[in-house]
Amino acid sequence: MSMEVREEIAVCGGKLLNLSHYASVVNCNMNVNVYLPQQYYTGSDGPIPVIYFLSGLTCSPHNASEKAFWQIQADKYGFSVVYPDTSPRGENVPDDSAYDFGVAAGFYLNATEEPYKKYYQMYDYVHRDLPAQLMDYFNNLKGTKVDFMVNISITGHSMGGFGALSGYLQNYGTKKYKACSAFAPIVNPTNVPWGQKAFGNYLGNDKSKWQLYDPCDLIKRVRNDGDDIILIHQGTNDTFLKENLKSQLLLEASKGTSWENKIDLRLVNGFDHSYYFVSSFVPEHAKFHAKHLGLI
Ligand SMILES: N[C@@H](CCC(=O)N[C@@H](CS)C(=O)NCC(=O)O)C(=O)O
């Protein structure tokens, strides 16, 4: 069980590694991209912290690597960026031909239903197996250390924004992630078509299982015991906003809970759902995460 470096690409002051590895939790080979910032090569005072970026529907690790422009920010502050894939892949992995379910639409959850459960264990993959495998591989290399397990934070776009919020809140008790932010996230999957289709197929009809992943439900059950703020940007011209994203519902759900006034939702005029939008606000998210990772 190890990482294969498929490609090493010079970007900004560091390198983007296209990696491939077998992940037993999802029963297939997975691709993942890792950006190592310039500090990895010039030396760093301590281990380099990591931001996990979870991508949206139809994406592979390459979409955000190529179009979100995290690399400039990673060099500026000295963090590494991990871009996991959005689902298991391969001949045996069950799929349908729709863009919003199956391959490239794993929804970062652990499926409990046939025929999906053998492969679609993306929650365990992203939050446990992948960090452990990256740690193991990079720890055995000489030189600067990268901290894939402790000084870490999480963000994502659309389905990946949902994955970031859900994973952050589910692990909030152990403070697994130092911070969470999201770009145009699906905030209430149990109440929107994308989420209902995915949750119904992956988790079955028992809606109590759905709620375990739903950010609007999680903020009612998970106590914000500090001053933790979740940063969210949402474009007003996003064609998915009204039917599937509905960011306002997270604000409404937070009322009367420990998360009231802790959801920093910024509606940005005129922006759409694309990486033109994501890349425009990556600098703000980078600064937010850098603070929580102790880099500024
Ligand atoms: N019309 C889009 C719907 C899916 C979509 O907009 N996906 C977003 C995330 S939810 C994305 O990042 N697409 C890939 C890209 O823009 O590079 C498609 O079929 O590709």
Side-chain angles (χ1 to χ4, degrees), residues 234-248 267 273:
Q234 172 63 63
T236 59
N237 277 7
D238 186 327
T239 47
F240 301 116
L241 175 57
K242 281 204 178 78
E243 210 186 341
N244 278 299
L245 306 174
K246 298 193 172 191
S247 44
Q248 206 63 32
L267 291 173
H273 192 65

PDB file of all heavy atoms in Angstrom, residues 234-248 267 273:
ATOM      1  N   GLN A 234     -21.059  32.822  -1.522  1.00  0.00           N
ATOM      2  CA  GLN A 234     -22.098  32.336  -2.439  1.00  0.00           C
ATOM      3  C   GLN A 234     -22.405  33.420  -3.468  1.00  0.00           C
ATOM      4  O   GLN A 234     -22.734  34.556  -3.101  1.00  0.00           O
ATOM      5  CB  GLN A 234     -23.363  31.996  -1.639  1.00  0.00           C
ATOM      6  CG  GLN A 234     -24.576  31.654  -2.489  1.00  0.00           C
ATOM      7  CD  GLN A 234     -24.373  30.397  -3.346  1.00  0.00           C
ATOM      8  OE1 GLN A 234     -24.187  29.319  -2.814  1.00  0.00           O
ATOM      9  NE2 GLN A 234     -24.403  30.547  -4.667  1.00  0.00           N
ATOM     10  N   GLY A 235     -22.291  33.087  -4.739  1.00  0.00           N
ATOM     11  CA  GLY A 235     -22.592  34.047  -5.801  1.00  0.00           C
ATOM     12  C   GLY A 235     -24.086  34.188  -6.022  1.00  0.00           C
ATOM     13  O   GLY A 235     -24.817  33.187  -5.996  1.00  0.00           O
ATOM     14  N   THR A 236     -24.540  35.416  -6.263  1.00  0.00           N
ATOM     15  CA  THR A 236     -25.985  35.629  -6.452  1.00  0.00           C
ATOM     16  C   THR A 236     -26.469  35.161  -7.833  1.00  0.00           C
ATOM     17  O   THR A 236     -27.655  34.933  -8.019  1.00  0.00           O
ATOM     18  CB  THR A 236     -26.359  37.121  -6.274  1.00  0.00           C
ATOM     19  OG1 THR A 236     -25.623  37.880  -7.228  1.00  0.00           O
ATOM     20  CG2 THR A 236     -26.060  37.607  -4.874  1.00  0.00           C
ATOM     21  N   ASN A 237     -25.554  35.047  -8.806  1.00  0.00           N
ATOM     22  CA  ASN A 237     -25.960  34.584 -10.150  1.00  0.00           C
ATOM     23  C   ASN A 237     -25.698  33.092 -10.354  1.00  0.00           C
ATOM     24  O   ASN A 237     -25.597  32.632 -11.488  1.00  0.00           O
ATOM     25  CB  ASN A 237     -25.212  35.363 -11.234  1.00  0.00           C
ATOM     26  CG  ASN A 237     -25.883  36.681 -11.534  1.00  0.00           C
ATOM     27  OD1 ASN A 237     -26.833  37.069 -10.846  1.00  0.00           O
ATOM     28  ND2 ASN A 237     -25.382  37.392 -12.530  1.00  0.00           N
ATOM     29  N   ASP A 238     -25.579  32.380  -9.265  1.00  0.00           N
ATOM     30  CA  ASP A 238     -25.331  30.938  -9.314  1.00  0.00           C
ATOM     31  C   ASP A 238     -26.636  30.245  -9.706  1.00  0.00           C
ATOM     32  O   ASP A 238     -27.636  30.347  -8.996  1.00  0.00           O
ATOM     33  CB  ASP A 238     -24.879  30.495  -7.911  1.00  0.00           C
ATOM     34  CG  ASP A 238     -24.460  29.048  -7.839  1.00  0.00           C
ATOM     35  OD1 ASP A 238     -25.033  28.221  -8.559  1.00  0.00           O
ATOM     36  OD2 ASP A 238     -23.557  28.758  -7.029  1.00  0.00           O
ATOM     37  N   THR A 239     -26.617  29.519 -10.836  1.00  0.00           N
ATOM     38  CA  THR A 239     -27.862  28.926 -11.334  1.00  0.00           C
ATOM     39  C   THR A 239     -28.364  27.790 -10.426  1.00  0.00           C
ATOM     40  O   THR A 239     -29.502  27.351 -10.573  1.00  0.00           O
ATOM     41  CB  THR A 239     -27.685  28.369 -12.766  1.00  0.00           C
ATOM     42  OG1 THR A 239     -26.476  27.613 -12.791  1.00  0.00           O
ATOM     43  CG2 THR A 239     -27.620  29.463 -13.793  1.00  0.00           C
ATOM     44  N   PHE A 240     -27.523  27.295  -9.523  1.00  0.00           N
ATOM     45  CA  PHE A 240     -27.937  26.209  -8.626  1.00  0.00           C
ATOM     46  C   PHE A 240     -28.416  26.718  -7.267  1.00  0.00           C
ATOM     47  O   PHE A 240     -28.843  25.929  -6.417  1.00  0.00           O
ATOM     48  CB  PHE A 240     -26.785  25.220  -8.415  1.00  0.00           C
ATOM     49  CG  PHE A 240     -26.292  24.602  -9.696  1.00  0.00           C
ATOM     50  CD1 PHE A 240     -25.004  24.832 -10.151  1.00  0.00           C
ATOM     51  CD2 PHE A 240     -27.127  23.791 -10.458  1.00  0.00           C
ATOM     52  CE1 PHE A 240     -24.549  24.265 -11.327  1.00  0.00           C
ATOM     53  CE2 PHE A 240     -26.680  23.216 -11.639  1.00  0.00           C
ATOM     54  CZ  PHE A 240     -25.392  23.458 -12.080  1.00  0.00           C
ATOM     55  N   LEU A 241     -28.323  28.031  -7.057  1.00  0.00           N
ATOM     56  CA  LEU A 241     -28.600  28.589  -5.726  1.00  0.00           C
ATOM     57  C   LEU A 241     -30.020  28.300  -5.231  1.00  0.00           C
ATOM     58  O   LEU A 241     -30.209  27.786  -4.128  1.00  0.00           O
ATOM     59  CB  LEU A 241     -28.308  30.101  -5.730  1.00  0.00           C
ATOM     60  CG  LEU A 241     -28.648  30.877  -4.456  1.00  0.00           C
ATOM     61  CD1 LEU A 241     -27.934  30.295  -3.247  1.00  0.00           C
ATOM     62  CD2 LEU A 241     -28.253  32.351  -4.618  1.00  0.00           C
ATOM     63  N   LYS A 242     -30.997  28.602  -6.076  1.00  0.00           N
ATOM     64  CA  LYS A 242     -32.394  28.545  -5.614  1.00  0.00           C
ATOM     65  C   LYS A 242     -32.885  27.126  -5.362  1.00  0.00           C
ATOM     66  O   LYS A 242     -33.627  26.871  -4.437  1.00  0.00           O
ATOM     67  CB  LYS A 242     -33.310  29.191  -6.665  1.00  0.00           C
ATOM     68  CG  LYS A 242     -33.277  30.699  -6.603  1.00  0.00           C
ATOM     69  CD  LYS A 242     -34.557  31.301  -7.200  1.00  0.00           C
ATOM     70  CE  LYS A 242     -34.535  32.814  -7.083  1.00  0.00           C
ATOM     71  NZ  LYS A 242     -33.664  33.418  -8.117  1.00  0.00           N
ATOM     72  N   GLU A 243     -32.436  26.180  -6.208  1.00  0.00           N
ATOM     73  CA  GLU A 243     -32.995  24.836  -6.091  1.00  0.00           C
ATOM     74  C   GLU A 243     -32.148  23.886  -5.235  1.00  0.00           C
ATOM     75  O   GLU A 243     -32.686  23.045  -4.512  1.00  0.00           O
ATOM     76  CB  GLU A 243     -33.188  24.247  -7.489  1.00  0.00           C
ATOM     77  CG  GLU A 243     -34.344  23.273  -7.538  1.00  0.00           C
ATOM     78  CD  GLU A 243     -34.441  22.577  -8.885  1.00  0.00           C
ATOM     79  OE1 GLU A 243     -33.862  23.079  -9.873  1.00  0.00           O
ATOM     80  OE2 GLU A 243     -35.095  21.520  -8.928  1.00  0.00           O
ATOM     81  N   ASN A 244     -30.823  24.021  -5.318  1.00  0.00           N
ATOM     82  CA  ASN A 244     -29.980  22.999  -4.688  1.00  0.00           C
ATOM     83  C   ASN A 244     -29.036  23.487  -3.583  1.00  0.00           C
ATOM     84  O   ASN A 244     -28.634  22.691  -2.739  1.00  0.00           O
ATOM     85  CB  ASN A 244     -29.146  22.301  -5.764  1.00  0.00           C
ATOM     86  CG  ASN A 244     -29.936  21.216  -6.476  1.00  0.00           C
ATOM     87  OD1 ASN A 244     -30.371  20.261  -5.840  1.00  0.00           O
ATOM     88  ND2 ASN A 244     -30.153  21.395  -7.765  1.00  0.00           N
ATOM     89  N   LEU A 245     -28.658  24.740  -3.614  1.00  0.00           N
ATOM     90  CA  LEU A 245     -27.651  25.208  -2.645  1.00  0.00           C
ATOM     91  C   LEU A 245     -28.313  25.833  -1.414  1.00  0.00           C
ATOM     92  O   LEU A 245     -28.033  25.467  -0.287  1.00  0.00           O
ATOM     93  CB  LEU A 245     -26.677  26.185  -3.324  1.00  0.00           C
ATOM     94  CG  LEU A 245     -26.014  25.616  -4.594  1.00  0.00           C
ATOM     95  CD1 LEU A 245     -25.178  26.665  -5.289  1.00  0.00           C
ATOM     96  CD2 LEU A 245     -25.162  24.392  -4.268  1.00  0.00           C
ATOM     97  N   LYS A 246     -29.158  26.828  -1.653  1.00  0.00           N
ATOM     98  CA  LYS A 246     -30.008  27.414  -0.599  1.00  0.00           C
ATOM     99  C   LYS A 246     -29.232  27.799   0.654  1.00  0.00           C
ATOM    100  O   LYS A 246     -29.608  27.410   1.782  1.00  0.00           O
ATOM    101  CB  LYS A 246     -31.131  26.425  -0.229  1.00  0.00           C
ATOM    102  CG  LYS A 246     -32.053  26.115  -1.397  1.00  0.00           C
ATOM    103  CD  LYS A 246     -33.299  25.416  -0.907  1.00  0.00           C
ATOM    104  CE  LYS A 246     -34.326  25.275  -2.003  1.00  0.00           C
ATOM    105  NZ  LYS A 246     -35.619  24.858  -1.607  1.00  0.00           N
ATOM    106  N   SER A 247     -28.162  28.542   0.479  1.00  0.00           N
ATOM    107  CA  SER A 247     -27.280  28.846   1.617  1.00  0.00           C
ATOM    108  C   SER A 247     -28.006  29.533   2.775  1.00  0.00           C
ATOM    109  O   SER A 247     -27.644  29.372   3.936  1.00  0.00           O
ATOM    110  CB  SER A 247     -26.096  29.693   1.157  1.00  0.00           C
ATOM    111  OG  SER A 247     -26.536  30.695   0.288  1.00  0.00           O
ATOM    112  N   GLN A 248     -29.058  30.289   2.439  1.00  0.00           N
ATOM    113  CA  GLN A 248     -29.820  31.006   3.462  1.00  0.00           C
ATOM    114  C   GLN A 248     -30.379  30.049   4.532  1.00  0.00           C
ATOM    115  O   GLN A 248     -30.513  30.428   5.700  1.00  0.00           O
ATOM    116  CB  GLN A 248     -30.982  31.742   2.766  1.00  0.00           C
ATOM    117  CG  GLN A 248     -31.484  32.962   3.496  1.00  0.00           C
ATOM    118  CD  GLN A 248     -30.417  34.053   3.607  1.00  0.00           C
ATOM    119  OE1 GLN A 248     -29.571  34.197   2.716  1.00  0.00           O
ATOM    120  NE2 GLN A 248     -30.443  34.784   4.720  1.00  0.00           N
ATOM    121  N   LEU A 267     -22.846  36.847   0.538  1.00  0.00           N
ATOM    122  CA  LEU A 267     -23.475  36.760  -0.785  1.00  0.00           C
ATOM    123  C   LEU A 267     -22.765  37.745  -1.696  1.00  0.00           C
ATOM    124  O   LEU A 267     -22.706  38.939  -1.384  1.00  0.00           O
ATOM    125  CB  LEU A 267     -24.957  37.102  -0.678  1.00  0.00           C
ATOM    126  CG  LEU A 267     -25.815  36.075   0.057  1.00  0.00           C
ATOM    127  CD1 LEU A 267     -27.228  36.582   0.253  1.00  0.00           C
ATOM    128  CD2 LEU A 267     -25.828  34.738  -0.692  1.00  0.00           C
ATOM    129  N   HIS A 273     -21.466  29.964 -10.504  1.00  0.00           N
ATOM    130  CA  HIS A 273     -21.083  28.762  -9.741  1.00  0.00           C
ATOM    131  C   HIS A 273     -19.686  28.262 -10.121  1.00  0.00           C
ATOM    132  O   HIS A 273     -19.188  27.304  -9.546  1.00  0.00           O
ATOM    133  CB  HIS A 273     -22.120  27.663 -10.027  1.00  0.00           C
ATOM    134  CG  HIS A 273     -22.032  26.485  -9.101  1.00  0.00           C
ATOM    135  ND1 HIS A 273     -22.279  26.576  -7.747  1.00  0.00           N
ATOM    136  CD2 HIS A 273     -21.718  25.169  -9.326  1.00  0.00           C
ATOM    137  CE1 HIS A 273     -22.129  25.387  -7.181  1.00  0.00           C
ATOM    138  NE2 HIS A 273     -21.788  24.511  -8.124  1.00  0.00           N
TER     139      HIS A 273
END
